[in-house]
Amino acid sequence: DFLFFWGAVFLVTTTLVAFLKKENQELIPAKEETKGITDTYRLLFSIIKMPAVLTFCLLILTSKVGFSAADAVTGLKLVEEGVPKEHLALLAVPMVPLQIILPLIISKYTAGPQPLNTFYKAMPYRLLLGLEFAFLVWWAPKVKHEGGFPIYYYAVVVLSYALHQITLYSMYVAIMAFNAKVSDPLIGGTYMTLLNTVSNLGGNWPSTVALWLVDPLTVKECVGAQGHTCATAAATEV
């Protein structure tokens, strides 16, 4: 029902935009960025070969390795420790207004000549929150009782998630502001697309690797089966 409702809203609003939005009739001669697909990729390669762009791409491709495990695995581990999935989903609701307000506030600090300063300042706090998330997973079985989890545990989880959102959006908005600032206006679309694509890739590949490493790095103990380490899925099943 949720997906159906918002799917209908999406279709109605985009259809209204298509029919009601009028284009500017004044023809303003604009310089085209490229003439075709071949020119676009030739332009992309020329941008990538720039030393400053290479250094920046290396930075954003590796900057999220430190907190990829905390971001990708914490929710799964909390569910594994018994926290109901529906409760975790409900905890995301208070984050929505925060996610709307944060970019408005953070953009004031990233509008200056050095937007990446906000990125650098937020990084150590986000790394520390990774330890906080590990503590939440360790703490979960300690406070669990027959009725579930106490209210104060959920309060700590919500507070931790809220602090995490602040650091996450500080880094996200700073990167976007920097990309917009350094992109050449003549080829702004191509330049921005390249940098944002690399930025998205820098967030996705560490999470994928973290999820892939969860099983081999998890220490398990088989009760009542001598000589079995349960290190693999097959051994665990046996």
Side-chain angles (χ1 to χ4, degrees), residues 28-56:
I28 301 171
K31 182 181 177 181
E32 289 188 11
E33 291 186 355
T34 52
K35 296 179 181 179
I37 295 175
T38 308
D39 289 338
T40 302
Y41 279 100
R42 191 179 292 118
L43 181 61
L44 279 173
F45 283 119
S46 67
I47 295 169
I48 291 172
K49 286 189 290 186
M50 296 166 63
V53 174
L54 276 174
T55 304
F56 180 62

Side-chain angles (χ1 to χ4, degrees), residues 5 7 44 54 63 100 103 105 134 138 165 169 174 203 217 223 230:
F5 173 79
L44 279 173
L54 276 174
S63 63
I100 296 170
I105 299 171
W138 171 85
Q165 289 294 314
Y169 273 86
L217 291 178
V223 180
C230 297

Side-chain angles (χ1 to χ4, degrees), residues 67-189:
F67 28 76
S68 57
D71 290 1
V73 184
T74 300
L76 299 174
K77 284 295 178 184
L78 287 175
V79 171
E80 191 178 290
E81 294 295 346
V83 180
K85 284 184 285 188
E86 56 270 25
H87 288 183
L88 281 179
L90 281 173
L91 293 180
V93 175
M95 299 299 114
V96 175
L98 192 65
Q99 291 166 352
I100 296 170
I101 295 167
L102 278 174
L104 297 173
I105 299 171
I106 296 165
S107 60
K108 295 178 181 178
Y109 299 96
T110 57
Q114 296 178 315
L116 277 186
N117 281 353
T118 306
F119 181 93
Y120 295 136
K121 288 175 183 176
M123 183 177 282
Y125 295 104
R126 192 170 172 186
L127 287 169
L128 286 172
L129 281 168
L131 295 176
E132 162 75 2
F133 283 178
F135 169 76
L136 289 176
V137 174
W138 171 85
W139 193 30
K142 311 289 184 186
V143 296
K144 186 180 180 182
H145 51 74
E146 290 184 4
F149 290 84
I151 296 296
Y152 64 81
Y153 181 77
Y154 288 117
V156 174
V157 172
V158 169
L159 180 62
S160 301
Y161 274 28
L163 293 172
H164 178 260
Q165 289 294 314
I166 293 171
T167 58
L168 187 150
Y169 273 86
S170 295
M171 296 179 71
Y172 176 76
V173 174
I175 282 286
M176 289 296 161
F178 182 79
N179 290 350
K181 194 171 186 64
V182 300
S183 296
D184 187 340
L186 292 177
I187 49 170

Side-chain angles (χ1 to χ4, degrees), residues 203-215:
N204 290 333
W205 80 261
S207 296
T208 304
V209 172
L211 287 168
W212 180 70
L213 288 172
V214 168
D215 208 38

Side-chain angles (χ1 to χ4, degrees), residues 33 184-194:
E33 291 186 355
D184 187 340
L186 292 177
I187 49 170
T190 307
Y191 216 126
M192 281 284 286
T193 301
L194 171 66

